[in-house]
Each structure stands twice: as structure tokens, then as C-alpha cells.
Amino acid sequence: MRKIRTALTASLFLAMSAFGAMPSQAMAAPAPLQLWRLDCGEIQMNDAAPLSDTGTYDGRSRRLSNGCYLVRHGADYLLWDAGLPVSLLGKALGAEPISATLGQDLTSQLARIGVRPEQIGRLAISHYHFDHVGQAALFPEATLLIGAADLKALRGAPPAFADPSLLEHWLKGAGAIDAIDGDRDVFGDGSVTILSAPGHTSGELALLVRLPETGPVILTGDVAHLESQLAPRHVPIWNTNRAESLASIDRLVKLAATLKARIIVQHDPGDVRLLARFPDASR
């Protein structure tokens, strides 16, 4: 009988080892995941006509927020977008069609939560426009994650609303670049996924963060500038491809419905309240 028990124990040991299920081996806990919204400026559109190619916003004014987002995944930090340039600190909003201002820079906000610029291992940008890469140079040690099509565009004649000098550190080879083609599971555990969402630019990206308490959150980049653009599918006149723009809006809306996710339109002031108020983090 003892021999039988010994044989059974040995067989069970081998079977459980093969499937990595030893009783004494606890399952690895998921990495702590947090998301902070950072203030990266404001944009005043005294005529918001460019936000729709069907005349919806003609003659109307709109104030846009400009959000950047810090993701903590265990000991790793990813910064999503880098906001307006520091040259706009304290600048008054004007009477011109579009003006922008910055109230505080990213490094001062990160200091409030005890994060140093060199701790940012990944700087992921939704697209190359100046209001999304303005403070990128503050994070020279970070790997730049950028849509492959956007990177290609920057290496040619400068596209509209792009200032390649803001990404010069990487474009001249001093910093590491990770060109994103398609979707990307950033940390390999499904918690943070970069989504391909072309249309606004050819390499536009969005970000899905699956927060354990808040639930899934989708950061739109510039797939939309206002919540009111989503349902009627309003496409700005400056987008590079109308059909791709419509497809990307449709994808994010349907993905949000499937996952029961919150859509955060980064330029919509009304969406600021959907995440924890800085310096608190959404979890």
C-alpha cells in the first residue's frame, strides 16, 4: 500500500510540475496598476469650425483641455503624450482663431507624486502634433513609442501641426525609438494596450488601460476632440484620412461597449472628471 501511495504521489508531483501548478508555488500577483491625469495645457478655439468637415461647429467657440497621462505598472512608468511646449508657460489665451497656454510643466507635476523624469521608461505619443509632444525632451532616457506611419511622416517633409525639433533627441538617434505598427500589448500581460487608430494622422494611436478598480479606460488621443463628435462621427478638416477617421471612431466606441470601458476624450474638458483628480490616481 505504501508503494502505491508513493507511486501516486510521484505521478501527481510530475503532472502538477508539468502544468506549473505546484501547491507550494503561489500564482504571481498582477503588477500594481495606476493612472494619473496630468495637466498639459489648454487650447482656445475662437472658431471651432475645423472640428467638423460638415460645418457643425462653424462660428462656435470651444475651450479644449490638453491631458497627458502617467501609467504605473509595478515599478515601470509609461507617460502617454507630452503636452504643450514649456515656451507656452503662463501665456495668455488670445483673440486669434486658435491659441494655447500651459499652466505647469510635467516635471513639476511628477515631483508632487515622487516620480523623477529618469523613471519614465516609455514615452508613448498618440501622434506627432506639437500639443502632444511639446515636453518630450524632458524625458531623454525614455524609449519613444510612436506609430510607425507617424515616424515615417516625421522623417520626410514636416507634416502640418508638427514640430520635429520637439522630438529631435530621438529623430537624430540619441534616444531609443519603438515604432508601433498595429496594436501593442505594452507590458505583456494585457493590462495596457496601445491601439492602432489612424485617421487624424496616419499613425494615430489610442491607449487602453484595464484598471482593476475603475475598470477599463480608453484614452482617445485625437481620434476625437470632443465627446459630441463620437456619436455623429464628426471628422475634423485637418485629419489625414476621412475613411480611416470614421473607422477608428467606430472601433473605439464598439470596443468601449464590449469592454464596458470609459472613453476619455483627452481634449474634452468634461472628461477630466472621469478620472481621479490629481494628485490622486485612478486604480
Side-chain angles (χ1 to χ4, degrees), residues 188-208:
D189 60 2
S191 62
V192 180
T193 305
I194 291 175
L195 305 171
S196 177
H200 183 62
T201 66
S202 53
E204 173 80 25
L205 303 171
L207 190 70
L208 168 64

Side-chain angles (χ1 to χ4, degrees), residues 88-176:
L88 294 174
L89 271 169
K91 183 177 180 181
L93 295 171
E96 59 266 39
I98 301 178
S99 60
T101 187
L102 186 66
Q104 51 190 323
D105 63 23
L106 281 169
T107 52
S108 64
Q109 293 177 75
L110 293 175
R112 290 182 62 189
I113 55 174
V115 177
R116 303 183 307 277
E118 59 269 24
Q119 289 180 266
I120 307 300
R122 297 173 177 87
L123 170 58
I125 60 170
S126 59
H127 61 292
Y128 52 62
H129 287 168
F130 78 97
D131 56 319
H132 292 259
V133 304
Q135 298 172 65
L138 299 175
F139 309 97
E141 297 179 38
T143 296
L144 178 68
L145 279 63
I146 180 174
D150 271 15
L151 180 61
K152 181 179 179 180
L154 284 175
R155 286 178 165 159
F161 305 108
D163 181 355
S165 70
L166 296 170
L167 296 173
E168 183 178 58
H169 174 74
W170 293 272
L171 295 177
K172 290 195 171 181

